[in-house]
Amino acid sequence: MSAEQQEKLGYLKPAPRIIPRGEHVISRDSISENALKVLYRLKNAGYEAHLVGGSVRDLLLGREPKDFDVATDAHPEQIRELFRNCRLIGRRFRLAHVHFGQEIVEVSTFRAPHHVSDDAGHTEDGGRIVRDNVYGTIDDDVWRRDFTANALYYNIRDFSVVDYVGGVADIQSGLIRLIGEPERRFREDPVRLLRAVRFAVKLGFRIHQDTERAIAVLAPLLDEIPAARLYEELLKLFLGGCALQTFEQLRGHGLFASLFPQTEAVLAREENGFPQTLLAHALGDTDRRLAENKAVTPGFLVSALLWSPMHAEAAEFMARGLAEHEAISMASDAVISRQVGRIAIPRRFTLVAREIWQLQSRLARRTGKRPQRLIQHPRFRAAYDFLLLRARSGEPVGELADWWTEFQRGAVIPEPVEPPPQRRRPRRRGRRGGIPNRR
Ligand code: ATP
Ligand code: MG
């Protein structure tokens, strides 16, 4: 009998390590009231109910969980019967969302990895999982999770932590380790490549060497992820509070190139000359703003992520004789349309980026009534912030940026519009009783 057949029949199912209530740090005080309500109601209805995933990991680390996910043996319809405030969502995964005002507790039914149930039809060529809706028990469910640190269960029946995969030890030693055979698990779902980096950065963990080796080999698999899913991941990567480090690690692991090929091409070129720092500054600013609970817009992020390829392409158009604003407009179209083929960034955000770029050329014109008009533009603030960013990154716009700063304080007055060339001829004397302004 093959190992897989034995596994199917349950012979090799390893027993979990159960860490009793007194031997771990998780207390009910640090679990949201709503999550506790969900756990208890499931339990009282006779189902198994566990907190699972990122919340257990974060509680063990003494961090505040972003949200609470629950795993149970109740099926989605059974969950819905228990909660009035419940919606079933998802096609690939059918999940229950239990709503409490702003807070959503996500409840998922234990699932079996595809090979435990039947082998037919659950993976595409290359091993990618396309359907994953076969219900199972907790000791099936654990093996379909990604990293050991994400595969711990907190059992509401006895407040123990259930650990099948050595997750507690890996959390203690700060390791992100894929469960099972890394290459197969990355092939099943290449988004895990990005998740590995995201969690390593967010938690300050190292990526286990076997997992890391597989990332280096399998980075090209990112190309297979649908553009819509990549957009969701993009937000988690760059709006999670550690954008700068995440960017550096993504580049280090050869994953950034697949997300932003045009940007990577310029970065690679520029690093031989002087390094392109605008993106690094923008990501650092994003992290600082998030830390201060200030708003950040994906549109500004997009404008920074794609600035260097757009700028380079616009320069080529200008070298061919196009006016700056036309060159920027055409380069924006080209760069954005290539990028959204890769990552489905919604139009409302690519429009913001376009406007910010377009306004860069208008910011250079500061005579007459133009500055006063520009200041009223709804995107002026973002465009001005972007100009500051360019100045800080060593682009030759420092003087211009200072001018705008002073102008907004009312400390400088725009020069009058230069008269068009044909009117520069000396005028008749004494028209306004003064001496004509000759240059
Ligand atoms: P975060 O703090 O970012 O919410 P998380 O670990 O809770 O981290 P989620 O994306 O909310 O991450 O997913 C919840 C759990 O579902 C994970 O901890 C993991 O067990 C499982 N999971 C999520 N995505 C995958 C995936 N692509 N492959 C395997 N398991 C996954
Ligand atoms: Mg989560």
Side-chain angles (χ1 to χ4, degrees):
M1 201 186 292
S2 75
E4 186 150 306
Q5 281 169 320
Q6 286 186 2
E7 199 178 317
K8 273 188 203 173
L9 295 172
Y11 288 99
L12 292 181
K13 275 188 179 165
R17 180 177 161 220
I18 308 279
I19 299 124
R21 166 186 200 172
E23 291 173 28
H24 62 71
V25 298
I26 300 181
S27 95
R28 271 161 293 161
D29 296 344
S30 37
I31 302 173
S32 94
E33 255 175 58
N34 296 324
L36 286 173
K37 262 188 226 165
V38 171
L39 289 165
Y40 281 123
R41 189 167 310 169
L42 285 164
K43 185 193 93 158
N44 293 337
Y47 298 111
E48 280 188 62
H50 297 78
L51 217 52
V52 67
S55 54
V56 182
R57 174 199 71 213
D58 290 347
L59 289 170
L60 286 173
L61 286 166
R63 300 168 66 106
E64 193 186 330
K66 202 174 69 192
D67 44 37
F68 292 88
D69 297 327
V70 169
T72 178
D73 58 351
H75 287 196
E77 291 70 24
Q78 296 169 321
I79 301 167
R80 185 165 51 188
E81 276 165 26
L82 287 179
F83 300 96
R84 262 189 310 124
N85 47 338
C86 170
R87 251 184 248 153
L88 300 188
I89 60 144
R91 271 181 298 154
R92 188 161 166 269
F93 293 104
R94 239 168 119 64
L95 300 171
H97 273 180
V98 187
H99 291 252
F100 299 89
Q102 292 282 50
E103 186 179 355
I104 296 176
V105 179
E106 191 170 286
V107 187
S108 57
T109 308
F110 295 140
R111 282 183 179 76
H114 53 97
H115 69 271
V116 175
S117 47
D118 66 306
D119 298 303
H122 291 107
T123 61
E124 275 185 345
D125 286 353
R128 189 153 67 85
I129 294 183
V130 286
R131 271 190 294 129
D132 196 1
N133 250 340
V134 182
Y135 300 129
T137 55
I138 184 171
D139 54 0
D140 297 321
D141 189 80
V142 63
W143 305 106
R144 71 169 182 92
R145 297 194 173 266
D146 47 8
F147 306 103
T148 57
N150 286 350
L152 297 169
Y153 299 79
Y154 172 79
N155 189 348
I156 200 65
R157 210 168 279 283
D158 60 4
F159 315 116
S160 64
V161 169
V162 184
D163 181 5
Y164 284 87
V165 292
V168 170
D170 280 347
I171 286 178
Q172 276 162 353
S173 37
L175 272 182
I176 289 296
R177 184 206 309 249
L178 210 46
I179 297 169
E181 206 249 304
E183 189 158 326
R184 183 168 68 83
R185 302 305 313 285
F186 279 137
R187 283 188 194 284
E188 279 176 4
D189 181 4
V191 165
R192 291 170 186 157
L193 294 159
L194 300 174
R195 288 174 61 88
V197 170
R198 179 159 69 82
F199 290 124
V201 171
K202 163 175 155 167
L203 304 170
F205 280 20
R206 273 178 307 115
I207 299 177
H208 186 274
Q209 60 181 30
D210 296 344
T211 305
E212 187 161 52
R213 219 174 288 133
I215 294 178
V217 179
L218 298 176
L221 289 181
L222 279 191
D223 294 344
E224 293 169 19
I225 303 172
R229 192 153 175 231
L230 272 188
Y231 176 65
E232 288 168 29
E233 287 307 313
L234 178 73
L235 297 184
K236 292 187 198 162
L237 288 166
F238 291 120
L239 295 178
C242 314
L244 181 54
Q245 269 197 64
T246 303
F247 163 69
E248 284 165 356
Q249 288 237 12
L250 286 173
R251 286 199 80 209
H253 285 100
L255 298 172
F256 185 76
S258 164
L259 299 177
F260 288 92
Q262 306 177 89
T263 309
E264 178 60 39
V266 180
L267 289 177
R269 226 185 307 140
E270 282 187 354
E271 268 162 12
N272 299 325
F274 69 97
Q276 143 74 30
T277 51
L278 183 136
L279 184 49
H281 282 305
L283 297 174
D285 289 353
T286 303
D287 293 339
R288 259 189 303 282
R289 289 183 68 88
L290 287 169
E292 294 163 7
N293 279 321
K294 290 189 190 159
V296 293
T297 154
F300 193 84
L301 201 64
V302 171
S303 71
L305 278 160
L306 295 176
W307 168 252
S308 48
M310 192 290 295
H311 200 45
E313 197 154 334
E316 282 173 31
F317 283 125
M318 283 165 72
R320 282 190 252 150
L322 252 59
E324 188 181 20
H325 70 276
E326 253 180 292
I328 290 181
S329 176
M330 288 181 58
S332 306
D333 284 347
V335 168
I336 287 172
S337 75
R338 287 191 289 258
Q339 183 62 50
V340 297
R342 191 75 273 279
I343 304 181
I345 303 166
R347 205 174 134 72
R348 63 181 185 284
F349 297 131
T350 58
L351 275 177
V352 173
R354 281 182 123 274
E355 277 187 300
I356 289 174
W357 296 338
Q358 202 73 65
L359 286 174
Q360 297 308 301
S361 68
R362 284 182 62 186
L363 282 164
R365 300 188 302 180
R366 43 183 151 156
T367 51
K369 294 211 165 59
R370 281 180 184 139
Q372 198 49 50
R373 270 203 304 267
L374 196 53
I375 254 183
Q376 331 247 308
H377 192 288
R379 208 61 74 195
F380 170 78
R381 184 72 217 182
Y384 164 71
D385 284 344
F386 199 82
L387 182 67
L388 294 180
L389 201 57
R390 292 172 62 201
R392 269 165 61 209
S393 317
E395 286 192 41
V397 290
E399 186 264 331
L400 184 63
D402 289 344
W403 187 91
W404 278 98
T405 306
E406 294 299 304
F407 177 70
Q408 289 175 82
R409 288 197 300 148
V412 290
I413 300 170
E415 307 231 331
V417 181
E418 281 192 14
Q422 68 269 28
R423 288 179 58 201
R424 268 199 208 165
R425 273 176 273 124
R427 292 183 205 151
R428 260 182 292 134
R429 262 172 144 253
R431 209 166 129 212
R432 275 191 206 134
I435 299 167
N437 182 13
R438 262 179 245 209
R439 296 193 183 193

